[in-house]
Amino acid sequence: MQTTSINAQQIALLETACQELCLEPTEKQKEQLLEYITLLMKWNQTYNLTAIKDPNQALIQHVFDSLSVIPPIKKYISLKKIQEPEMLDVGSGAGLPGLVIALMIPEARVTCVDPVEKKMTFIRQVAGIFNLANIKTQHERVENIKTGPFDIVTSRAFASLEDFADLAGYQVKNDGVLVAMKGKKPQEEIEVLEKNTLWKVELIETLTVPQLDAHRCLVWMRKKGTV
């Protein structure tokens, strides 16, 4: 990887984070993750895509946060022996975690959906620059999209578990899963979900985000009566 005085600190942060997450990205993937932050900060000056203005904090709170889900998702794909997983990222915003998943799991085919057009335009621009052929965007509310169904449907800070299941559950294959990134274990949301919907929580994984002192977990949900 090329190093400069401008991004040397970010390179060091990223390499340390990948080691902590037991990830082994290629040099190209590392360069693209850092370039993503550069593009995000540039676009943010005009389009207000994120409230975070500092590039290092954006790297930690957006990229590292998204990278933390890569190992468990890759493990699930491997266990289920899914050759080309079809994935939907709901409320993708600026591509988090959808674009990061597409970049880090090239065999996955990822659709990012968000009702804010400028955010989908940004993802398309980044995908074009990176030549990512495995990512699509839909400027739409998730309950209105007509593609799918998907093996895995993800969300990050999107909605309550009940609302996530109600709005996006119809997009999941019968043997597929909903996967929600959350802060602390959302016990009340879990109880409401299992009482009011056809979905149940199958697993809650604790996530550790490098350089971030905050609670994170991944909530895996499956339709009741399926395995």
Coordinates of all heavy atoms in Angstrom, one line a residue, residues 88 142-151 153 167-173 199:
L88 N -29.3 -8.1 1.1 CA -30.0 -6.8 1.1 C -29.6 -6.0 2.3 O -29.7 -6.5 3.4 CB -31.5 -7.0 1.0 CG -32.4 -5.7 1.1 CD1 -32.2 -4.9 -0.2 CD2 -33.9 -6.0 1.3
V142 N -37.9 0.3 1.8 CA -37.7 -1.2 1.7 C -39.0 -1.9 1.5 O -39.1 -2.9 0.8 CB -37.0 -1.7 3.0 CG1 -37.8 -1.5 4.2 CG2 -36.6 -3.2 2.8
E143 N -40.1 -1.4 2.1 CA -41.4 -2.1 2.0 C -42.0 -2.0 0.6 O -42.9 -2.7 0.3 CB -42.4 -1.5 3.0 CG -42.7 -0.1 2.9 CD -41.9 0.8 3.7 OE1 -40.7 0.5 4.0 OE2 -42.4 1.8 4.2
N144 N -41.4 -1.2 -0.3 CA -41.9 -1.0 -1.6 C -41.0 -1.7 -2.7 O -41.4 -1.7 -3.9 CB -42.0 0.5 -2.0 CG -43.0 1.2 -1.1 OD1 -44.0 0.6 -0.6 ND2 -42.8 2.5 -0.8
I145 N -39.9 -2.2 -2.3 CA -39.0 -2.8 -3.4 C -39.5 -4.2 -3.8 O -40.2 -4.9 -3.0 CB -37.5 -2.9 -2.9 CG1 -37.4 -3.9 -1.8 CG2 -37.0 -1.6 -2.5 CD1 -35.9 -4.2 -1.4
K146 N -39.2 -4.6 -5.0 CA -39.8 -5.8 -5.6 C -38.8 -6.8 -6.0 O -39.1 -7.7 -6.7 CB -40.7 -5.4 -6.8 CG -41.9 -4.6 -6.3 CD -42.8 -4.2 -7.5 CE -44.1 -3.5 -7.1 NZ -43.9 -2.3 -6.3
T147 N -37.5 -6.6 -5.6 CA -36.5 -7.6 -5.9 C -36.4 -8.6 -4.8 O -37.2 -8.6 -3.9 CB -35.1 -6.9 -6.0 OG1 -34.9 -6.1 -4.9 CG2 -35.0 -6.0 -7.3
G148 N -35.5 -9.5 -4.9 CA -35.4 -10.5 -3.9 C -36.1 -11.8 -4.3 O -36.5 -12.0 -5.4
P149 N -36.2 -12.8 -3.4 CA -35.8 -12.7 -2.0 C -34.3 -12.9 -1.8 O -33.6 -13.2 -2.7 CB -36.6 -13.9 -1.3 CG -36.7 -14.9 -2.4 CD -36.9 -14.1 -3.7
F150 N -33.9 -12.7 -0.5 CA -32.5 -12.6 -0.2 C -32.1 -13.7 0.9 O -32.9 -14.0 1.7 CB -32.1 -11.2 0.3 CG -32.2 -10.2 -0.7 CD1 -33.5 -9.5 -0.9 CD2 -31.2 -9.8 -1.6 CE1 -33.6 -8.5 -1.8 CE2 -31.4 -8.8 -2.5 CZ -32.6 -8.2 -2.7
D151 N -30.8 -14.1 0.8 CA -30.3 -15.0 1.9 C -30.2 -14.3 3.2 O -30.4 -14.9 4.2 CB -29.0 -15.6 1.4 CG -29.1 -16.4 0.2 OD1 -29.7 -17.5 0.2 OD2 -28.5 -16.0 -0.9
V153 N -30.6 -10.4 5.1 CA -31.0 -9.0 5.0 C -30.5 -8.3 6.3 O -30.7 -8.7 7.4 CB -32.6 -8.8 5.0 CG1 -33.0 -7.4 5.0 CG2 -33.1 -9.5 3.8
L167 N -41.1 -4.6 8.1 CA -40.8 -3.9 6.8 C -40.0 -4.7 5.9 O -40.2 -4.6 4.6 CB -40.1 -2.6 7.1 CG -40.9 -1.6 7.9 CD1 -40.1 -0.4 8.3 CD2 -42.1 -1.1 7.1
A168 N -39.1 -5.5 6.4 CA -38.1 -6.2 5.5 C -38.2 -7.7 5.5 O -37.6 -8.4 4.7 CB -36.7 -5.8 5.9
G169 N -39.0 -8.3 6.4 CA -39.1 -9.7 6.5 C -39.6 -10.4 5.3 O -39.1 -11.5 5.0
Y170 N -40.4 -9.8 4.5 CA -40.9 -10.4 3.3 C -39.9 -10.5 2.2 O -40.0 -11.3 1.2 CB -42.1 -9.5 2.7 CG -41.7 -8.3 2.0 CD1 -41.7 -8.3 0.6 CD2 -41.3 -7.2 2.6 CE1 -41.3 -7.2 -0.2 CE2 -40.9 -6.0 1.9 CZ -40.9 -6.0 0.5 OH -40.5 -4.9 -0.2
Q171 N -38.7 -9.9 2.4 CA -37.6 -10.0 1.5 C -36.7 -11.1 1.7 O -35.7 -11.4 1.0 CB -36.8 -8.7 1.5 CG -37.5 -7.5 0.8 CD -37.5 -7.6 -0.7 OE1 -36.8 -8.4 -1.3 NE2 -38.4 -6.9 -1.3
V172 N -36.9 -11.9 2.8 CA -36.0 -13.0 3.2 C -36.5 -14.3 2.7 O -37.7 -14.6 2.7 CB -35.9 -13.0 4.8 CG1 -34.9 -14.1 5.2 CG2 -35.5 -11.7 5.3
K173 N -35.6 -15.1 2.1 CA -35.9 -16.4 1.7 C -36.4 -17.3 2.9 O -36.1 -16.9 4.1 CB -34.7 -17.1 1.1 CG -34.2 -16.5 -0.2 CD -33.0 -17.2 -0.7 CE -32.5 -16.6 -2.0 NZ -31.3 -17.3 -2.6
W199 N -41.3 -13.8 13.7 CA -39.8 -13.9 13.8 C -39.4 -14.2 15.2 O -40.0 -13.7 16.2 CB -39.1 -12.6 13.2 CG -39.4 -12.5 11.7 CD1 -40.5 -12.0 11.1 CD2 -38.5 -12.9 10.7 NE1 -40.3 -12.0 9.8 CE2 -39.1 -12.6 9.5 CE3 -37.2 -13.4 10.7 CZ2 -38.5 -12.8 8.2 CZ3 -36.6 -13.7 9.5 CH2 -37.3 -13.4 8.2

